[in-house]
Amino acid sequence: MTDNLATDEDLPYLFGSFEADSTSADGQDDSGATSLVMFEGDTGVLFQEQRRCLHALLKHRYLSADRHPEHWTVLLANQDLIKSRLNELFFELHLDRDHQIAFKRQASTESGEALPSLIRDVSHTKEETIVMVFLRQRFFAQRQEGEDVVFVDRQVLLSEVADQRPEHATHRAMDQKRALNAIDGLATAGVLIKTADPERLRISPIIEVLLPIEKLRALWTWLMIQNGTAPENSDTGFVIDDEPDVLFDIVKDNE
């Protein structure tokens, strides 16, 4: 299962419009001092760039240095402050400097006590899981060969899903549609990044963060069980659920 934050329409109470009030366009009041006020009645204590960074973390599935350079710079300079604001909403900040990626996770207590959540569960399909596993393996292999940026063709992904189709699956047209939807869904999620060529996609480094090697093995075992190529009681050391959880606390946006 994946956890998706509610969309902007679902959360009108978190943030209002970011329209400026009587302050000047550069965020200063008439006296020349920097103003924190952005709208009538604003009592916020964050500067505009800090607010926008926090808003982006809540809205988007993740922030990265290459896709959100301005927010990334602000986040690095104000990590403790923004982390504190996320904590107040029961989120944890995950910041990976090696991959230059940041995202939020639902916080949990050591005792297992349930905390209020703005996140809703969304299950991912088998086709999405197949694509995710393939992307993780390809990204790792290409990085090992020295590639900084890793691409994949849409047709390669479709072929991978087709190769994983169990023998009893005969509705190929429906399977093809599901595979296309899986690819498009992961592109919307930012796991795959569109390029100038609609048939060629770039794999985001978020894939390594979302699928560490332990999770990759568990998902691979799950897929084998689903296809009937591994015994369900095989001693893998992993718990295989009815639905694999792939994306963790990644927010739905409208990019």
mmCIF file of all heavy atoms in Angstrom, residues 198-227:
data_model
loop_
_atom_site.group_PDB
_atom_site.id
_atom_site.type_symbol
_atom_site.label_atom_id
_atom_site.label_comp_id
_atom_site.label_asym_id
_atom_site.label_seq_id
_atom_site.Cartn_x
_atom_site.Cartn_y
_atom_site.Cartn_z
ATOM 1 N N PRO A 198 8.505 11.322 -26.117
ATOM 2 C CA PRO A 198 7.459 10.717 -25.286
ATOM 3 C C PRO A 198 7.661 9.232 -25.022
ATOM 4 O O PRO A 198 7.083 8.687 -24.085
ATOM 5 C CB PRO A 198 6.173 10.977 -26.084
ATOM 6 C CG PRO A 198 6.624 11.198 -27.492
ATOM 7 C CD PRO A 198 7.966 11.854 -27.390
ATOM 8 N N GLU A 199 8.467 8.564 -25.842
ATOM 9 C CA GLU A 199 8.711 7.129 -25.662
ATOM 10 C C GLU A 199 9.945 6.846 -24.817
ATOM 11 O O GLU A 199 10.259 5.695 -24.546
ATOM 12 C CB GLU A 199 8.866 6.453 -27.028
ATOM 13 C CG GLU A 199 7.609 6.512 -27.885
ATOM 14 C CD GLU A 199 6.407 5.896 -27.172
ATOM 15 O OE1 GLU A 199 6.556 4.778 -26.643
ATOM 16 O OE2 GLU A 199 5.332 6.536 -27.143
ATOM 17 N N ARG A 200 10.633 7.902 -24.400
ATOM 18 C CA ARG A 200 11.854 7.729 -23.604
ATOM 19 C C ARG A 200 11.685 8.457 -22.284
ATOM 20 O O ARG A 200 11.344 9.635 -22.239
ATOM 21 C CB ARG A 200 13.067 8.266 -24.364
ATOM 22 C CG ARG A 200 14.414 7.910 -23.729
ATOM 23 C CD ARG A 200 15.528 8.173 -24.727
ATOM 24 N NE ARG A 200 16.848 7.917 -24.192
ATOM 25 C CZ ARG A 200 17.397 6.721 -24.057
ATOM 26 N NH1 ARG A 200 16.706 5.653 -24.410
ATOM 27 N NH2 ARG A 200 18.617 6.577 -23.577
ATOM 28 N N LEU A 201 11.960 7.759 -21.201
ATOM 29 C CA LEU A 201 11.754 8.297 -19.873
ATOM 30 C C LEU A 201 13.039 8.221 -19.064
ATOM 31 O O LEU A 201 13.878 7.344 -19.286
ATOM 32 C CB LEU A 201 10.653 7.517 -19.151
ATOM 33 C CG LEU A 201 9.287 7.485 -19.853
ATOM 34 C CD1 LEU A 201 8.437 6.345 -19.313
ATOM 35 C CD2 LEU A 201 8.572 8.813 -19.681
ATOM 36 N N ARG A 202 13.194 9.150 -18.136
ATOM 37 C CA ARG A 202 14.354 9.142 -17.244
ATOM 38 C C ARG A 202 13.928 8.567 -15.903
ATOM 39 O O ARG A 202 12.851 8.883 -15.399
ATOM 40 C CB ARG A 202 14.917 10.557 -17.067
ATOM 41 C CG ARG A 202 16.120 10.618 -16.137
ATOM 42 C CD ARG A 202 16.895 11.909 -16.349
ATOM 43 N NE ARG A 202 16.179 13.087 -15.951
ATOM 44 C CZ ARG A 202 16.250 13.651 -14.740
ATOM 45 N NH1 ARG A 202 17.015 13.098 -13.810
ATOM 46 N NH2 ARG A 202 15.586 14.741 -14.457
ATOM 47 N N ILE A 203 14.771 7.739 -15.317
ATOM 48 C CA ILE A 203 14.481 7.138 -14.018
ATOM 49 C C ILE A 203 14.977 8.073 -12.928
ATOM 50 O O ILE A 203 16.153 8.433 -12.881
ATOM 51 C CB ILE A 203 15.156 5.765 -13.881
ATOM 52 C CG1 ILE A 203 14.741 4.843 -15.038
ATOM 53 C CG2 ILE A 203 14.783 5.129 -12.543
ATOM 54 C CD1 ILE A 203 15.459 3.507 -15.031
ATOM 55 N N SER A 204 14.081 8.457 -12.045
ATOM 56 C CA SER A 204 14.462 9.349 -10.948
ATOM 57 C C SER A 204 15.272 8.600 -9.895
ATOM 58 O O SER A 204 14.989 7.435 -9.596
ATOM 59 C CB SER A 204 13.206 9.938 -10.294
ATOM 60 O OG SER A 204 13.539 10.599 -9.088
ATOM 61 N N PRO A 205 16.250 9.261 -9.279
ATOM 62 C CA PRO A 205 17.008 8.638 -8.190
ATOM 63 C C PRO A 205 16.142 8.264 -6.996
ATOM 64 O O PRO A 205 16.578 7.496 -6.139
ATOM 65 C CB PRO A 205 18.027 9.720 -7.809
ATOM 66 C CG PRO A 205 18.159 10.566 -9.026
ATOM 67 C CD PRO A 205 16.801 10.571 -9.662
ATOM 68 N N ILE A 206 14.909 8.767 -6.942
ATOM 69 C CA ILE A 206 14.013 8.418 -5.843
ATOM 70 C C ILE A 206 13.805 6.914 -5.768
ATOM 71 O O ILE A 206 13.491 6.369 -4.710
ATOM 72 C CB ILE A 206 12.651 9.142 -6.008
ATOM 73 C CG1 ILE A 206 11.799 9.022 -4.728
ATOM 74 C CG2 ILE A 206 11.875 8.589 -7.193
ATOM 75 C CD1 ILE A 206 12.294 9.807 -3.583
ATOM 76 N N ILE A 207 14.015 6.215 -6.878
ATOM 77 C CA ILE A 207 13.785 4.768 -6.916
ATOM 78 C C ILE A 207 14.692 4.037 -5.929
ATOM 79 O O ILE A 207 14.288 3.057 -5.302
ATOM 80 C CB ILE A 207 13.979 4.225 -8.362
ATOM 81 C CG1 ILE A 207 13.449 2.783 -8.479
ATOM 82 C CG2 ILE A 207 15.419 4.282 -8.782
ATOM 83 C CD1 ILE A 207 11.972 2.670 -8.362
ATOM 84 N N GLU A 208 15.926 4.509 -5.773
ATOM 85 C CA GLU A 208 16.847 3.853 -4.835
ATOM 86 C C GLU A 208 16.447 4.109 -3.390
ATOM 87 O O GLU A 208 16.641 3.250 -2.528
ATOM 88 C CB GLU A 208 18.281 4.327 -5.073
ATOM 89 C CG GLU A 208 18.972 3.624 -6.219
ATOM 90 C CD GLU A 208 20.476 3.782 -6.167
ATOM 91 O OE1 GLU A 208 20.964 4.810 -5.641
ATOM 92 O OE2 GLU A 208 21.182 2.872 -6.638
ATOM 93 N N VAL A 209 15.889 5.283 -3.137
ATOM 94 C CA VAL A 209 15.471 5.616 -1.786
ATOM 95 C C VAL A 209 14.216 4.828 -1.407
ATOM 96 O O VAL A 209 14.087 4.319 -0.300
ATOM 97 C CB VAL A 209 15.208 7.131 -1.665
ATOM 98 C CG1 VAL A 209 14.751 7.484 -0.258
ATOM 99 C CG2 VAL A 209 16.454 7.919 -2.036
ATOM 100 N N LEU A 210 13.289 4.706 -2.356
ATOM 101 C CA LEU A 210 12.031 4.026 -2.085
ATOM 102 C C LEU A 210 12.175 2.509 -2.026
ATOM 103 O O LEU A 210 11.424 1.841 -1.328
ATOM 104 C CB LEU A 210 11.000 4.385 -3.164
ATOM 105 C CG LEU A 210 10.600 5.855 -3.237
ATOM 106 C CD1 LEU A 210 9.628 6.070 -4.382
ATOM 107 C CD2 LEU A 210 10.000 6.315 -1.928
ATOM 108 N N LEU A 211 13.132 1.983 -2.774
ATOM 109 C CA LEU A 211 13.298 0.532 -2.832
ATOM 110 C C LEU A 211 14.715 0.129 -2.432
ATOM 111 O O LEU A 211 15.541 -0.189 -3.284
ATOM 112 C CB LEU A 211 12.997 0.010 -4.242
ATOM 113 C CG LEU A 211 11.530 -0.139 -4.637
ATOM 114 C CD1 LEU A 211 11.428 -0.768 -6.016
ATOM 115 C CD2 LEU A 211 10.771 -0.972 -3.635
ATOM 116 N N PRO A 212 15.012 0.126 -1.150
ATOM 117 C CA PRO A 212 16.308 -0.421 -0.718
ATOM 118 C C PRO A 212 16.354 -1.902 -1.043
ATOM 119 O O PRO A 212 15.343 -2.528 -1.357
ATOM 120 C CB PRO A 212 16.308 -0.159 0.789
ATOM 121 C CG PRO A 212 14.864 -0.046 1.157
ATOM 122 C CD PRO A 212 14.183 0.559 -0.023
ATOM 123 N N ILE A 213 17.530 -2.488 -0.962
ATOM 124 C CA ILE A 213 17.732 -3.855 -1.439
ATOM 125 C C ILE A 213 16.819 -4.846 -0.723
ATOM 126 O O ILE A 213 16.303 -5.791 -1.335
ATOM 127 C CB ILE A 213 19.217 -4.269 -1.295
ATOM 128 C CG1 ILE A 213 19.464 -5.605 -1.999
ATOM 129 C CG2 ILE A 213 19.621 -4.286 0.158
ATOM 130 C CD1 ILE A 213 19.264 -5.564 -3.490
ATOM 131 N N GLU A 214 16.570 -4.635 0.580
ATOM 132 C CA GLU A 214 15.700 -5.556 1.313
ATOM 133 C C GLU A 214 14.286 -5.523 0.752
ATOM 134 O O GLU A 214 13.631 -6.561 0.593
ATOM 135 C CB GLU A 214 15.686 -5.206 2.805
ATOM 136 C CG GLU A 214 17.012 -5.406 3.509
ATOM 137 C CD GLU A 214 17.955 -4.239 3.309
ATOM 138 O OE1 GLU A 214 17.532 -3.229 2.695
ATOM 139 O OE2 GLU A 214 19.110 -4.327 3.768
ATOM 140 N N LYS A 215 13.800 -4.322 0.458
ATOM 141 C CA LYS A 215 12.457 -4.192 -0.101
ATOM 142 C C LYS A 215 12.403 -4.765 -1.504
ATOM 143 O O LYS A 215 11.405 -5.394 -1.898
ATOM 144 C CB LYS A 215 12.061 -2.714 -0.117
ATOM 145 C CG LYS A 215 10.605 -2.496 -0.467
ATOM 146 C CD LYS A 215 9.728 -3.110 0.601
ATOM 147 C CE LYS A 215 8.280 -2.815 0.347
ATOM 148 N NZ LYS A 215 7.427 -3.445 1.386
ATOM 149 N N LEU A 216 13.455 -4.570 -2.257
ATOM 150 C CA LEU A 216 13.508 -5.107 -3.615
ATOM 151 C C LEU A 216 13.389 -6.627 -3.594
ATOM 152 O O LEU A 216 12.638 -7.213 -4.394
ATOM 153 C CB LEU A 216 14.813 -4.685 -4.281
ATOM 154 C CG LEU A 216 15.033 -5.155 -5.723
ATOM 155 C CD1 LEU A 216 13.995 -4.547 -6.649
ATOM 156 C CD2 LEU A 216 16.441 -4.797 -6.183
ATOM 157 N N ARG A 217 14.105 -7.270 -2.702
ATOM 158 C CA ARG A 217 14.039 -8.731 -2.612
ATOM 159 C C ARG A 217 12.635 -9.195 -2.228
ATOM 160 O O ARG A 217 12.126 -10.186 -2.756
ATOM 161 C CB ARG A 217 15.057 -9.225 -1.586
ATOM 162 C CG ARG A 217 16.506 -9.080 -2.038
ATOM 163 C CD ARG A 217 17.440 -9.366 -0.888
ATOM 164 N NE ARG A 217 18.848 -9.275 -1.296
ATOM 165 C CZ ARG A 217 19.859 -9.185 -0.447
ATOM 166 N NH1 ARG A 217 19.623 -9.174 0.856
ATOM 167 N NH2 ARG A 217 21.096 -9.108 -0.891
ATOM 168 N N ALA A 218 12.020 -8.471 -1.285
ATOM 169 C CA ALA A 218 10.684 -8.851 -0.849
ATOM 170 C C ALA A 218 9.683 -8.738 -1.987
ATOM 171 O O ALA A 218 8.835 -9.611 -2.185
ATOM 172 C CB ALA A 218 10.252 -7.974 0.327
ATOM 173 N N LEU A 219 9.772 -7.676 -2.759
ATOM 174 C CA LEU A 219 8.849 -7.495 -3.875
ATOM 175 C C LEU A 219 9.092 -8.533 -4.968
ATOM 176 O O LEU A 219 8.147 -9.018 -5.600
ATOM 177 C CB LEU A 219 8.987 -6.077 -4.444
ATOM 178 C CG LEU A 219 8.445 -4.961 -3.561
ATOM 179 C CD1 LEU A 219 8.715 -3.610 -4.200
ATOM 180 C CD2 LEU A 219 6.954 -5.135 -3.307
ATOM 181 N N TRP A 220 10.348 -8.860 -5.200
ATOM 182 C CA TRP A 220 10.655 -9.877 -6.214
ATOM 183 C C TRP A 220 10.068 -11.221 -5.811
ATOM 184 O O TRP A 220 9.499 -11.936 -6.637
ATOM 185 C CB TRP A 220 12.163 -9.981 -6.410
ATOM 186 C CG TRP A 220 12.561 -10.940 -7.491
ATOM 187 C CD1 TRP A 220 13.166 -12.143 -7.352
ATOM 188 C CD2 TRP A 220 12.364 -10.765 -8.903
ATOM 189 N NE1 TRP A 220 13.362 -12.728 -8.572
ATOM 190 C CE2 TRP A 220 12.881 -11.901 -9.547
ATOM 191 C CE3 TRP A 220 11.803 -9.745 -9.681
ATOM 192 C CZ2 TRP A 220 12.849 -12.063 -10.925
ATOM 193 C CZ3 TRP A 220 11.770 -9.901 -11.061
ATOM 194 C CH2 TRP A 220 12.295 -11.052 -11.666
ATOM 195 N N THR A 221 10.177 -11.547 -4.532
ATOM 196 C CA THR A 221 9.594 -12.792 -4.034
ATOM 197 C C THR A 221 8.070 -12.758 -4.170
ATOM 198 O O THR A 221 7.445 -13.747 -4.562
ATOM 199 C CB THR A 221 9.981 -13.013 -2.564
ATOM 200 O OG1 THR A 221 11.400 -13.034 -2.458
ATOM 201 C CG2 THR A 221 9.413 -14.319 -2.034
ATOM 202 N N TRP A 222 7.482 -11.623 -3.856
ATOM 203 C CA TRP A 222 6.028 -11.463 -3.978
ATOM 204 C C TRP A 222 5.586 -11.705 -5.415
ATOM 205 O O TRP A 222 4.586 -12.383 -5.670
ATOM 206 C CB TRP A 222 5.626 -10.068 -3.519
ATOM 207 C CG TRP A 222 4.148 -9.800 -3.555
ATOM 208 C CD1 TRP A 222 3.237 -10.083 -2.572
ATOM 209 C CD2 TRP A 222 3.419 -9.190 -4.626
ATOM 210 N NE1 TRP A 222 1.978 -9.691 -2.973
ATOM 211 C CE2 TRP A 222 2.063 -9.146 -4.218
ATOM 212 C CE3 TRP A 222 3.771 -8.688 -5.873
ATOM 213 C CZ2 TRP A 222 1.059 -8.609 -5.022
ATOM 214 C CZ3 TRP A 222 2.778 -8.154 -6.688
ATOM 215 C CH2 TRP A 222 1.443 -8.120 -6.262
ATOM 216 N N LEU A 223 6.334 -11.162 -6.372
ATOM 217 C CA LEU A 223 5.982 -11.332 -7.777
ATOM 218 C C LEU A 223 6.082 -12.801 -8.199
ATOM 219 O O LEU A 223 5.241 -13.304 -8.949
ATOM 220 C CB LEU A 223 6.891 -10.472 -8.667
ATOM 221 C CG LEU A 223 6.629 -8.969 -8.624
ATOM 222 C CD1 LEU A 223 7.709 -8.218 -9.392
ATOM 223 C CD2 LEU A 223 5.257 -8.643 -9.183
ATOM 224 N N MET A 224 7.104 -13.494 -7.722
ATOM 225 C CA MET A 224 7.246 -14.908 -8.061
ATOM 226 C C MET A 224 6.081 -15.724 -7.515
ATOM 227 O O MET A 224 5.566 -16.634 -8.178
ATOM 228 C CB MET A 224 8.577 -15.453 -7.541
ATOM 229 C CG MET A 224 9.795 -14.938 -8.292
ATOM 230 S SD MET A 224 11.294 -15.879 -7.893
ATOM 231 C CE MET A 224 11.467 -15.484 -6.154
ATOM 232 N N ILE A 225 5.654 -15.377 -6.314
ATOM 233 C CA ILE A 225 4.517 -16.077 -5.719
ATOM 234 C C ILE A 225 3.250 -15.807 -6.525
ATOM 235 O O ILE A 225 2.456 -16.715 -6.798
ATOM 236 C CB ILE A 225 4.331 -15.664 -4.250
ATOM 237 C CG1 ILE A 225 5.485 -16.197 -3.408
ATOM 238 C CG2 ILE A 225 2.993 -16.148 -3.703
ATOM 239 C CD1 ILE A 225 5.466 -15.721 -1.968
ATOM 240 N N GLN A 226 3.068 -14.554 -6.941
ATOM 241 C CA GLN A 226 1.881 -14.210 -7.722
ATOM 242 C C GLN A 226 1.857 -14.953 -9.053
ATOM 243 O O GLN A 226 0.794 -15.328 -9.554
ATOM 244 C CB GLN A 226 1.839 -12.700 -7.967
ATOM 245 C CG GLN A 226 1.690 -11.861 -6.719
ATOM 246 C CD GLN A 226 0.418 -12.185 -5.957
ATOM 247 O OE1 GLN A 226 -0.677 -12.078 -6.494
ATOM 248 N NE2 GLN A 226 0.568 -12.599 -4.710
ATOM 249 N N ASN A 227 3.022 -15.175 -9.623
ATOM 250 C CA ASN A 227 3.114 -15.858 -10.917
ATOM 251 C C ASN A 227 3.187 -17.371 -10.777
ATOM 252 O O ASN A 227 3.274 -18.087 -11.773
ATOM 253 C CB ASN A 227 4.333 -15.364 -11.701
ATOM 254 C CG ASN A 227 4.117 -13.969 -12.257
ATOM 255 O OD1 ASN A 227 2.989 -13.522 -12.411
ATOM 256 N ND2 ASN A 227 5.203 -13.280 -12.559
#
